[in-house]
C-alpha cells in the first residue's frame, strides 16, 4: 500500500522558505527523497509551504525516516513550526482523471 507524508511548514522568513524549497528539490533529485514516487511542494504563503510525498510501500517510506529527521534538525533555525502527517493512500488520480485503482487500491474501512 502506498504511503503519503504531508508536511505543513512555516518559516521565519520568505528567504528561509525559498532556501528550504531549493533544498527539498535537491533532496528529491539525489538525497533522502530520491526513492519516493513523487514529492510536490506548494508555496502556501510568504513564509510557508506544504509538501506531499508518496512512497510505493511502507518499507520505502520507513527507510528514509532517520534521514528525514536529520534533514529537518539541520535546518531547524529556518523553521518556525511544522506539522507532520503520514498515512495510507486511499485514492490517487493522475492525468485526465483516470484513477489508478489497480496500483493504488482504496481500502476504506
Amino acid at each position: 500500500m502506498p504511503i503519503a507524508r504531508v508536511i505543513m511548514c512555516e518559516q521565519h522568513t520568505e528567504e528561509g522558505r525559498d532556501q528550504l524549497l531549493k533544498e527539498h528539490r535537491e533532496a528529491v533529485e539525489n538525497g533522502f527523497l530520491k526513492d519516493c514516487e513523487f514529492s510536490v511542494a506548494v508555496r502556501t504563503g510568504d513564509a510557508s509551504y506544504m509538501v506531499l510525498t508518496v512512497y510505493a510501500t511502507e518499507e520505502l517510506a520507513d527507510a528514509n525516516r532517520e534521514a528525514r529527521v536529520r534533514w529537518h534538525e539541520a535546518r531547524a533555525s529556518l523553521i518556525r513550526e511544522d506539522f507532520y502527517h503520514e498515512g495510507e493512500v486511499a485514492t490517487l488520480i493522475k492525468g485526465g482523471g483516470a484513477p489508478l485503482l489497480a496500483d493504488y487500491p482504496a481500502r476504506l474501512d
Side-chain angles (χ1 to χ4, degrees), residues 21-45:
L21 289 173
K22 177 181 180 282
E23 293 179 15
H24 168 262
R25 286 188 294 274
E26 293 168 356
V28 172
E29 289 176 358
N30 56 26
F32 75 97
L33 292 171
K34 69 183 180 308
D35 294 326
C36 70
E37 292 288 303
F38 63 86
S39 189
V40 178
V42 179
R43 289 184 190 98
T44 57

Side-chain angles (χ1 to χ4, degrees), residues 24-94:
H24 168 262
R25 286 188 294 274
E26 293 168 356
V28 172
E29 289 176 358
N30 56 26
F32 75 97
L33 292 171
K34 69 183 180 308
D35 294 326
C36 70
E37 292 288 303
F38 63 86
S39 189
V40 178
V42 179
R43 289 184 190 98
T44 57
D46 291 339
S48 63
Y49 66 81
M50 180 204 77
V51 173
L52 169 66
T53 303
V54 173
Y55 298 87
T57 65
E58 187 172 359
E59 292 76 25
L60 284 171
D62 288 344
N64 79 358
R65 191 177 307 270
E66 288 181 29
R68 177 205 172 274
V69 169
R70 285 192 308 272
W71 190 92
H72 276 267
E73 287 174 348
R75 292 149 182 85
S77 65
L78 300 172
I79 300 170
R80 184 166 62 99
E81 187 172 21
D82 71 333
F83 298 96
Y84 171 88
H85 305 278
E86 180 176 303
E88 293 178 347
V89 174
T91 304
L92 178 68
I93 299 173
K94 267 173 97 168

